Amino acid sequence: MYPEIDSATGIPVGISISQLKNALRQQPVAVLLTEPGYLGTLSDLPLLIEEAHASKVPVVLDAAWGGHFGFHPRLPCHGMQVGADAVITSVHKALPGYSAAALLLARSSLLKVERLQQSFEMTHTTSPSGAALASIDGVRALMQSRGCQLIDQLLKNVALFKERVQSHFSPPIFLNESDFADSRFDPAKLVLRVSQLGACGVELEKDLLQQGISVEMADRDMIVFHATVADSAASFENLADKLIPILKMKQSAPRASAVALTWSISPTQGCSLRDAFFASTEMVAACDAAGCVSADVIAPYPPGVAIVAPGEVLTHQVLAGLREIAAAGVRIAYATDPSLARYRVVSKMSLISQ
Ligand SMILES: Cc1ncc(COP(=O)(O)O)c(C=O)c1O
């Protein structure tokens, strides 16, 4: 399924009901959705979940970025509140858990909880980190006792920060709740649309790093800042103090919003992921790679959304898009040759014998 794109901002705003209905016709065992998306937008989840449940298909949410949802009236509901059958969520994004601390929540109407338990037992480490587990408990207790108050402060900090930075510029430079339908955007998310200032996000990231500030993600058109309940009002002020002069220095004519390849790529399958993974492979020069089947997963990171996966064809669109992303200075992850001078592909002999 592919997300709808908001034409004003060029960003994905969730999966439409018609996309889901098409997918359900293929009788899937489950529907997996990433909600919220990396830029803070959400599908109309109650509608999608109701539709999937009408066909007795469970809905599993990758809600890595939604751990704080449901703890404040201004935030979207938690995935479990809107009827998801399983929700996997990090507690180290807007919430202050340790890295690698994450939760799987599930209900048993359409999923077999014993099977989940068996799968967990088969795959989890035999030496879990007590510190990470304790941090999950700590965050859960914190959210139960002071969650609403802490998120309230976070939302105020984010709103004040945006207001202050925005007051120096006339085009709208942040994604705002008012840009989207009700409950379809996380108001704690800080997304700066540097294209509105004609600036390059990757260059701005370098300037910020020199001032001791690291960002969650930067590409040519956007910067995503990571705002958490552990950030003080002073740290937001410090960010605004450093950011405003840098933005002013780099400002030029606004660029039209472009849809990043990450949100718009539609893969062409060359062989199955499994066949590609176990096939014999070879390295080919970028100029000879068009039409070959990738053996690598390749993703600009962050956000780490694959542009190509093993078994998918390296089309001209994929190759040109990756070249452009790398030229803008974004790190290319997982590729055998991250410079993209060469690509690891399924060897022709291997494809013929399949
Ligand atoms: C959509 C999504 N899912 C999963 C993850 C991984 O989560 P964790 O770091 O808790 O393993 C991330 C990390 O950023 C993510 O963006």
Side-chain angles (χ1 to χ4, degrees), residues 33-65:
L33 299 168
T34 302
E35 306 281 352
Y38 194 70
L39 301 175
T41 52
L42 290 122
S43 307
D44 185 346
L45 279 180
L47 185 71
L48 298 187
I49 292 172
E50 193 188 348
E51 187 66 32
H53 284 178
S55 304
K56 299 264 179 292
V57 174
V59 177
V60 178
L61 299 185
D62 174 344
W65 288 95

Short mmCIF file of all heavy atoms in Angstrom, two decimals, residues 33-65:
data_model
loop_
_atom_site.label_atom_id
_atom_site.label_comp_id
_atom_site.label_asym_id
_atom_site.label_seq_id
_atom_site.Cartn_x
_atom_site.Cartn_y
_atom_site.Cartn_z
N LEU A 33 0.84 -1.61 9.52
CA LEU A 33 0.89 -0.18 9.20
C LEU A 33 1.94 0.50 10.07
O LEU A 33 2.10 0.12 11.24
CB LEU A 33 -0.47 0.48 9.48
CG LEU A 33 -1.67 -0.04 8.69
CD1 LEU A 33 -2.97 0.49 9.29
CD2 LEU A 33 -1.56 0.37 7.23
N THR A 34 2.63 1.48 9.52
CA THR A 34 3.56 2.28 10.32
C THR A 34 2.84 3.57 10.71
O THR A 34 2.57 4.41 9.86
CB THR A 34 4.82 2.61 9.50
OG1 THR A 34 5.41 1.38 9.09
CG2 THR A 34 5.83 3.40 10.32
N GLU A 35 2.48 3.70 11.98
CA GLU A 35 1.65 4.81 12.44
C GLU A 35 2.11 5.31 13.80
O GLU A 35 2.09 4.51 14.75
CB GLU A 35 0.19 4.36 12.56
CG GLU A 35 -0.40 3.73 11.33
CD GLU A 35 -0.83 4.72 10.25
OE1 GLU A 35 -0.82 5.94 10.53
OE2 GLU A 35 -1.18 4.26 9.17
N PRO A 36 2.51 6.55 13.97
CA PRO A 36 2.57 7.56 12.94
C PRO A 36 3.74 7.32 12.00
O PRO A 36 4.67 6.57 12.32
CB PRO A 36 2.79 8.84 13.76
CG PRO A 36 3.57 8.39 14.96
CD PRO A 36 3.03 7.04 15.28
N GLY A 37 3.72 7.98 10.85
CA GLY A 37 4.86 7.93 9.95
C GLY A 37 5.99 8.79 10.52
O GLY A 37 5.83 9.46 11.54
N TYR A 38 7.09 8.76 9.82
CA TYR A 38 8.30 9.41 10.32
C TYR A 38 8.14 10.92 10.47
O TYR A 38 8.82 11.55 11.28
CB TYR A 38 9.45 9.10 9.36
CG TYR A 38 10.80 9.41 9.92
CD1 TYR A 38 11.35 8.65 10.95
CD2 TYR A 38 11.54 10.47 9.43
CE1 TYR A 38 12.59 8.93 11.47
CE2 TYR A 38 12.78 10.77 9.94
CZ TYR A 38 13.30 9.99 10.97
OH TYR A 38 14.53 10.29 11.47
N LEU A 39 7.23 11.51 9.69
CA LEU A 39 7.05 12.97 9.76
C LEU A 39 5.86 13.34 10.64
O LEU A 39 5.41 14.49 10.64
CB LEU A 39 6.91 13.56 8.35
CG LEU A 39 8.12 13.29 7.44
CD1 LEU A 39 7.87 13.79 6.03
CD2 LEU A 39 9.38 13.94 8.00
N GLY A 40 5.34 12.37 11.38
CA GLY A 40 4.31 12.67 12.39
C GLY A 40 2.88 12.57 11.92
O GLY A 40 1.96 12.84 12.68
N THR A 41 2.66 12.18 10.65
CA THR A 41 1.28 12.06 10.15
C THR A 41 0.76 10.65 10.39
O THR A 41 1.53 9.69 10.52
CB THR A 41 1.21 12.39 8.65
OG1 THR A 41 2.19 11.60 7.98
CG2 THR A 41 1.49 13.86 8.40
N LEU A 42 -0.59 10.56 10.42
CA LEU A 42 -1.23 9.26 10.66
C LEU A 42 -2.36 9.03 9.67
O LEU A 42 -3.04 9.99 9.27
CB LEU A 42 -1.91 9.25 12.04
CG LEU A 42 -1.07 9.24 13.27
CD1 LEU A 42 -1.41 10.44 14.11
CD2 LEU A 42 -1.33 7.99 14.05
N SER A 43 -2.61 7.76 9.38
CA SER A 43 -3.81 7.39 8.61
C SER A 43 -5.03 7.59 9.50
O SER A 43 -4.91 7.77 10.72
CB SER A 43 -3.76 5.91 8.23
OG SER A 43 -2.57 5.59 7.58
N ASP A 44 -6.21 7.48 8.88
CA ASP A 44 -7.45 7.49 9.66
C ASP A 44 -7.60 6.08 10.26
O ASP A 44 -8.28 5.21 9.71
CB ASP A 44 -8.63 7.82 8.73
CG ASP A 44 -9.93 7.96 9.51
OD1 ASP A 44 -9.96 7.54 10.68
OD2 ASP A 44 -10.91 8.47 8.94
N LEU A 45 -6.91 5.85 11.38
CA LEU A 45 -6.79 4.49 11.90
C LEU A 45 -8.10 3.83 12.29
O LEU A 45 -8.33 2.66 11.95
CB LEU A 45 -5.82 4.47 13.09
CG LEU A 45 -4.35 4.45 12.72
CD1 LEU A 45 -3.48 4.45 13.96
CD2 LEU A 45 -4.04 3.24 11.85
N PRO A 46 -9.02 4.54 13.00
CA PRO A 46 -10.27 3.86 13.37
C PRO A 46 -10.99 3.30 12.13
O PRO A 46 -11.48 2.18 12.13
CB PRO A 46 -11.08 4.96 14.05
CG PRO A 46 -10.04 5.92 14.56
CD PRO A 46 -8.93 5.87 13.57
N LEU A 47 -10.97 4.08 11.04
CA LEU A 47 -11.64 3.65 9.81
C LEU A 47 -10.96 2.41 9.22
O LEU A 47 -11.61 1.43 8.84
CB LEU A 47 -11.61 4.82 8.81
CG LEU A 47 -12.35 4.63 7.51
CD1 LEU A 47 -13.85 4.64 7.78
CD2 LEU A 47 -12.00 5.75 6.52
N LEU A 48 -9.62 2.46 9.14
CA LEU A 48 -8.88 1.35 8.53
C LEU A 48 -9.02 0.08 9.37
O LEU A 48 -9.21 -1.03 8.83
CB LEU A 48 -7.39 1.70 8.40
CG LEU A 48 -7.02 2.89 7.51
CD1 LEU A 48 -5.51 2.99 7.35
CD2 LEU A 48 -7.66 2.78 6.13
N ILE A 49 -8.97 0.24 10.69
CA ILE A 49 -9.03 -0.94 11.56
C ILE A 49 -10.42 -1.58 11.48
O ILE A 49 -10.56 -2.80 11.39
CB ILE A 49 -8.63 -0.56 13.01
CG1 ILE A 49 -7.15 -0.19 13.04
CG2 ILE A 49 -8.92 -1.69 13.99
CD1 ILE A 49 -6.65 0.39 14.35
N GLU A 50 -11.44 -0.73 11.44
CA GLU A 50 -12.81 -1.26 11.33
C GLU A 50 -12.95 -2.07 10.03
O GLU A 50 -13.53 -3.16 10.01
CB GLU A 50 -13.80 -0.08 11.34
CG GLU A 50 -15.22 -0.52 11.56
CD GLU A 50 -16.21 0.65 11.37
OE1 GLU A 50 -15.76 1.81 11.31
OE2 GLU A 50 -17.39 0.38 11.28
N GLU A 51 -12.39 -1.53 8.95
CA GLU A 51 -12.50 -2.22 7.65
C GLU A 51 -11.76 -3.56 7.68
O GLU A 51 -12.29 -4.58 7.22
CB GLU A 51 -11.89 -1.31 6.57
CG GLU A 51 -12.05 -1.77 5.15
CD GLU A 51 -13.51 -1.76 4.68
OE1 GLU A 51 -14.27 -0.90 5.15
OE2 GLU A 51 -13.85 -2.63 3.85
N ALA A 52 -10.55 -3.57 8.24
CA ALA A 52 -9.79 -4.83 8.30
C ALA A 52 -10.51 -5.84 9.19
O ALA A 52 -10.62 -7.02 8.85
CB ALA A 52 -8.38 -4.55 8.83
N HIS A 53 -11.04 -5.37 10.31
CA HIS A 53 -11.72 -6.28 11.24
C HIS A 53 -13.00 -6.86 10.63
O HIS A 53 -13.38 -7.99 10.94
CB HIS A 53 -12.02 -5.58 12.57
CG HIS A 53 -10.79 -5.44 13.42
ND1 HIS A 53 -10.78 -4.81 14.64
CD2 HIS A 53 -9.51 -5.86 13.21
CE1 HIS A 53 -9.56 -4.84 15.14
NE2 HIS A 53 -8.78 -5.46 14.30
N ALA A 54 -13.63 -6.08 9.75
CA ALA A 54 -14.84 -6.60 9.09
C ALA A 54 -14.49 -7.84 8.26
O ALA A 54 -15.33 -8.70 8.03
CB ALA A 54 -15.46 -5.52 8.22
N SER A 55 -13.22 -7.93 7.81
CA SER A 55 -12.77 -9.12 7.07
C SER A 55 -12.01 -10.07 7.99
O SER A 55 -11.29 -10.96 7.50
CB SER A 55 -11.86 -8.72 5.91
OG SER A 55 -12.48 -7.82 5.07
N LYS A 56 -12.09 -9.84 9.29
CA LYS A 56 -11.40 -10.69 10.30
C LYS A 56 -9.88 -10.71 10.11
O LYS A 56 -9.20 -11.71 10.37
CB LYS A 56 -11.92 -12.15 10.24
CG LYS A 56 -13.41 -12.30 10.53
CD LYS A 56 -13.60 -12.66 12.00
CE LYS A 56 -15.04 -12.82 12.42
NZ LYS A 56 -15.79 -11.56 12.41
N VAL A 57 -9.35 -9.60 9.59
CA VAL A 57 -7.89 -9.49 9.40
C VAL A 57 -7.33 -8.62 10.53
O VAL A 57 -7.80 -7.49 10.73
CB VAL A 57 -7.56 -8.85 8.02
CG1 VAL A 57 -6.08 -8.60 7.88
CG2 VAL A 57 -8.08 -9.75 6.90
N PRO A 58 -6.36 -9.14 11.29
CA PRO A 58 -5.80 -8.33 12.37
C PRO A 58 -4.92 -7.19 11.86
O PRO A 58 -4.33 -7.29 10.79
CB PRO A 58 -4.96 -9.33 13.18
CG PRO A 58 -4.68 -10.44 12.24
CD PRO A 58 -5.78 -10.48 11.21
N VAL A 59 -4.85 -6.14 12.65
CA VAL A 59 -4.03 -4.98 12.28
C VAL A 59 -2.88 -4.83 13.29
O VAL A 59 -3.12 -4.78 14.50
CB VAL A 59 -4.87 -3.69 12.26
CG1 VAL A 59 -4.00 -2.47 11.96
CG2 VAL A 59 -5.99 -3.80 11.23
N VAL A 60 -1.68 -4.80 12.76
CA VAL A 60 -0.48 -4.67 13.58
C VAL A 60 0.12 -3.30 13.28
O VAL A 60 0.29 -2.94 12.12
CB VAL A 60 0.54 -5.78 13.24
CG1 VAL A 60 1.81 -5.63 14.06
CG2 VAL A 60 -0.08 -7.16 13.44
N LEU A 61 0.41 -2.54 14.32
CA LEU A 61 0.98 -1.20 14.10
C LEU A 61 2.45 -1.16 14.50
O LEU A 61 2.80 -1.57 15.62
CB LEU A 61 0.24 -0.14 14.93
CG LEU A 61 -1.25 0.06 14.69
CD1 LEU A 61 -1.74 1.24 15.54
CD2 LEU A 61 -1.54 0.32 13.20
N ASP A 62 3.30 -0.69 13.58
CA ASP A 62 4.63 -0.26 13.97
C ASP A 62 4.44 1.18 14.45
O ASP A 62 4.32 2.10 13.63
CB ASP A 62 5.59 -0.34 12.78
CG ASP A 62 6.97 0.25 13.11
OD1 ASP A 62 7.08 0.97 14.13
OD2 ASP A 62 7.91 0.00 12.35
N ALA A 63 4.33 1.33 15.76
CA ALA A 63 4.09 2.66 16.33
C ALA A 63 5.33 3.10 17.09
O ALA A 63 5.24 3.67 18.18
CB ALA A 63 2.87 2.61 17.25
N ALA A 64 6.50 2.85 16.47
CA ALA A 64 7.76 3.22 17.12
C ALA A 64 7.72 4.66 17.61
O ALA A 64 8.19 4.98 18.70
CB ALA A 64 8.92 3.01 16.16
N TRP A 65 7.10 5.55 16.80
CA TRP A 65 7.10 6.98 17.13
C TRP A 65 5.85 7.42 17.90
O TRP A 65 5.64 8.61 18.09
CB TRP A 65 7.24 7.81 15.85
CG TRP A 65 8.64 7.70 15.31
CD1 TRP A 65 9.09 6.85 14.36
CD2 TRP A 65 9.78 8.45 15.75
NE1 TRP A 65 10.44 7.02 14.16
CE2 TRP A 65 10.89 8.00 15.00
CE3 TRP A 65 9.99 9.46 16.70
CZ2 TRP A 65 12.18 8.51 15.16
CZ3 TRP A 65 11.28 9.97 16.86
CH2 TRP A 65 12.35 9.50 16.10
#
